[in-house]
Amino acid sequence: MLRKYSNYRSFADNIKLGALTAFSAGMVNVISVIVFFAFTSNVTGHYAILAQEIAKGNWYQGAVVLIWIFLFFAGNFTSNCLIIHNNTPTGRYVAHAIPVFLEMACLMFVGIYLQYFYTESLKETEFLVAAMLFAMGLQNGLTASISNGKVKTTHLTGLTTDLGIVFSMFTKKEFRNDKKLVEKAQLLLAIMFSYMAGGIISGLLYYKIGNSTFIIIGMVLSVVLLYDYYKLQVTKFVQRRRMYSRRYAISDRKF
Amino acid sequence: MKLWPIYLFFSLLLALSAWMLMDTESPETLILGDWEEVSWKYEKLNHDNVLDFDIDDFQKQEICRNLVIHEAETWRFGPDKTLSFLEEGVIKEDLKWNIKGRGNILELKHLNSMVEDYQVVGISEDELVVQFNFDLQVKGIVKMTFKRIPTKQYAQKI
């Protein structure tokens, strides 16, 4: 999911990454709406709100929204910086894992703060929403960057556009038999349904377990993080075994 | 291509936003004090045969019956996050209040843990405008307008 980069990624890599991260984004977005009355996984609405607040002369609210948008930008910036500056075969997994780790840290911080320190003041609300937007920026920057823009999981505007285009192409028989196009539709649908499922589950869970929902989000992100770590360990183990067996084979021939 | 003008523009924009946040009073501070109900109006209504958008006392009673808010002359927002409804200087009920979102949501918590949220459409030194959706006989949005009662004037009144 995280090891491979750009065109070296397979369809299976993208679908696993897309589904899991979209699920966590859906969860984050719904929980932020329930707790803070603000969306945190997409910024299109925030741009519209910014324009509206400026038009109304609500400078305080406008400034808040502008800083929120900046935090989403900062998340994307940080993510891509980490990826492009560590694009070496040995450091690639770590470079791709750090944004997920930072995202988890941000979301866990929000969860812990909500549970133990939150006094429901506006300043706290603004700060925690900013932290969640930064986390979502990190995630979106990572998935979009390593998949060459194929996987974007925190907002569905572009995805719905792509789905509309892909399904319109399916009205012609030649495109219905195009494997790449079919895979693209599958990927987009997987992201869409995962995002929705994450949102619904988060909405239901929050009323049952409250702020512990953030632990579930953390667990989903841990799967993203540890899946490739496990695979890397297995690959290393197999390589080591092969090396040892080759060494034994050579030493047997000598004696 | 020179990038510094772009960096400069966005840095200035951010600095301006930060300064505005520090310098401008937040809705949470602005709301503190006593507010007198001035008007109740339908902002939107999905009913064509409405001639008057003003809400009369009977309709107000009907709407209030389903909400935590009261027909009260005065709403007092305290710094301890307590909202008191007053009529002729006497407290009718106390609630807990919070401002959420970007300062656009007024959340009211009833003591029996019932929660309602209202949209703060406008807030200034003198005026507070709050909207809420209702679904009673007809669906619509109610706009409540409040005028700030200066502290001295209110003390004299009671």
Side-chain angles (χ1 to χ4, degrees):
Chain A
M1 256 189 287
L2 290 177
R3 274 176 306 157
K4 293 174 196 160
Y5 186 68
S6 193
N7 292 331
Y8 295 103
R9 295 180 65 81
S10 67
F11 168 67
D13 290 330
N14 283 342
I15 213 157
K16 275 181 260 178
L17 179 72
L20 281 167
T21 50
F23 188 83
S24 72
M27 287 187 86
V28 169
N29 205 26
V30 168
I31 211 166
S32 72
V33 171
I34 296 172
V35 183
F36 305 119
F37 294 89
F39 292 107
T40 50
S41 81
N42 53 320
V43 286
T44 317
H46 289 312
Y47 278 104
I49 289 163
L50 174 64
Q52 190 194 11
E53 298 293 11
I54 291 170
K56 280 185 183 173
N58 293 338
W59 303 112
Y60 181 91
Q61 285 90 334
V64 169
V65 175
L66 191 75
I67 289 175
W68 284 352
I69 293 171
F70 174 74
L71 261 296
F72 190 79
F73 162 86
N76 283 285
F77 177 89
T78 311
S79 220
N80 203 46
C81 261
L82 287 164
I83 294 163
I84 59 171
H85 290 289
N86 295 292
N87 191 20
T88 55
T90 46
R92 196 168 287 154
Y93 168 71
V94 177
H96 296 178
I98 290 171
V100 183
F101 183 75
L102 286 175
E103 181 192 353
M104 264 173 72
C106 280
L107 295 173
M108 286 302 116
F109 164 75
V110 174
I112 291 166
Y113 194 94
L114 275 175
Q115 185 65 33
Y116 299 107
F117 310 104
Y118 190 48
T119 59
E120 300 196 71
S121 75
L122 186 58
K123 278 271 175 285
E124 286 171 311
T125 301
E126 287 161 0
F127 182 73
L128 295 174
V129 168
M132 289 171 95
L133 274 158
F134 180 71
M136 289 294 97
L138 281 168
Q139 180 182 302
N140 207 41
L142 170 80
T143 56
S145 183
I146 66 172
S147 69
N148 233 358
K150 283 178 192 151
V151 182
K152 285 178 186 164
T153 55
T154 63
H155 53 277
L156 303 186
T157 317
L159 181 139
T160 313
T161 311
D162 289 350
L163 264 180
I165 292 167
V166 169
F167 277 97
S168 77
M169 289 178 92
F170 287 156
T171 54
K172 286 184 97 177
K173 198 183 174 188
E174 61 187 278
F175 292 124
R176 280 200 292 273
N177 297 325
D178 187 332
K179 197 188 162 204
K180 277 198 167 175
L181 220 53
V182 173
E183 282 183 352
K184 188 178 178 181
Q186 286 172 339
L187 174 66
L188 295 173
L189 286 171
I191 293 172
M192 187 185 82
F193 284 117
S194 296
Y195 189 92
M196 282 289 295
I200 294 165
I201 289 169
S202 165
L204 294 171
L205 274 178
Y206 187 76
Y207 292 109
K208 293 257 182 220
I209 59 169
N211 297 323
S212 306
T213 314
F214 281 92
I215 296 172
I216 310 288
I217 301 172
M219 282 161 75
V220 175
L221 291 171
S222 301
V223 175
V224 177
L225 207 60
L226 297 175
Y227 179 83
D228 276 6
Y229 180 74
Y230 161 77
K231 282 227 160 185
L232 273 173
Q233 294 308 311
V234 172
T235 314
K236 272 184 190 171
F237 176 73
V238 172
Q239 280 174 345
R240 228 175 289 149
R241 282 285 297 268
R242 273 189 200 152
M243 207 170 72
Y244 282 130
S245 53
R246 218 175 287 159
R247 255 189 221 165
Y248 282 124
I250 292 165
S251 56
D252 281 348
R253 248 180 265 157
K254 276 183 184 171
F255 294 105
Chain B
M1 191 190 154
K2 283 180 183 171
L3 285 173
W4 70 264
I6 302 170
Y7 291 136
L8 184 70
F9 173 75
F10 284 108
S11 306
L12 283 174
L13 206 61
L14 268 178
L16 187 73
S17 304
W19 173 73
M20 219 161 255
L21 281 183
M22 286 186 277
D23 196 58
T24 320
E25 259 191 304
S26 88
E28 202 173 40
T29 322
L30 270 173
I31 207 167
L32 294 176
D34 295 319
W35 297 88
E36 186 185 2
E37 269 185 34
V38 180
S39 70
W40 278 55
K41 280 185 177 178
Y42 289 122
E43 181 72 6
K44 273 179 191 150
L45 207 57
N46 69 345
H47 203 277
D48 296 334
N49 305 324
V50 176
L51 299 172
D52 189 7
F53 272 70
D54 286 326
I55 297 173
D56 60 31
D57 284 344
F58 175 71
Q59 288 172 315
K60 210 158 127 180
Q61 271 177 16
E62 279 290 300
I63 293 167
C64 286
R65 198 177 296 166
N66 298 286
L67 298 166
V68 294
I69 56 165
H70 272 273
E71 295 171 81
E73 286 172 359
T74 309
W75 290 30
R76 179 181 288 164
F77 290 90
D80 60 346
K81 297 283 178 81
T82 305
L83 166 63
S84 308
F85 293 120
L86 292 100
E87 203 167 336
E88 292 172 357
V90 180
I91 294 174
K92 284 173 77 175
E93 195 180 1
D94 282 333
L95 302 177
K96 283 281 165 200
W97 67 273
N98 288 303
I99 297 272
K100 294 271 178 88
R102 55 185 189 278
N104 63 323
I105 303 289
L106 172 63
E107 188 186 67
L108 300 183
K109 282 185 185 167
H110 206 256
L111 296 177
N112 62 9
S113 73
M114 189 173 152
V115 183
E116 277 179 8
D117 48 87
Y118 300 82
Q119 198 162 359
V120 181
V121 183
I123 185 164
S124 65
E125 282 291 341
D126 315 306
E127 197 183 56
L128 167 67
V129 183
V130 173
Q131 276 183 351
F132 62 90
N133 296 315
F134 75 101
D135 188 2
L136 191 80
Q137 294 174 12
V138 285
K139 271 189 181 180
I141 299 170
V142 168
K143 183 168 108 176
M144 297 166 75
T145 310
F146 297 84
K147 195 178 76 184
R148 187 186 291 278
I149 307 173
T151 323
K152 270 186 186 174
Q153 190 191 322
Y154 188 70
Q156 280 168 357
K157 198 177 162 186
I158 57 166

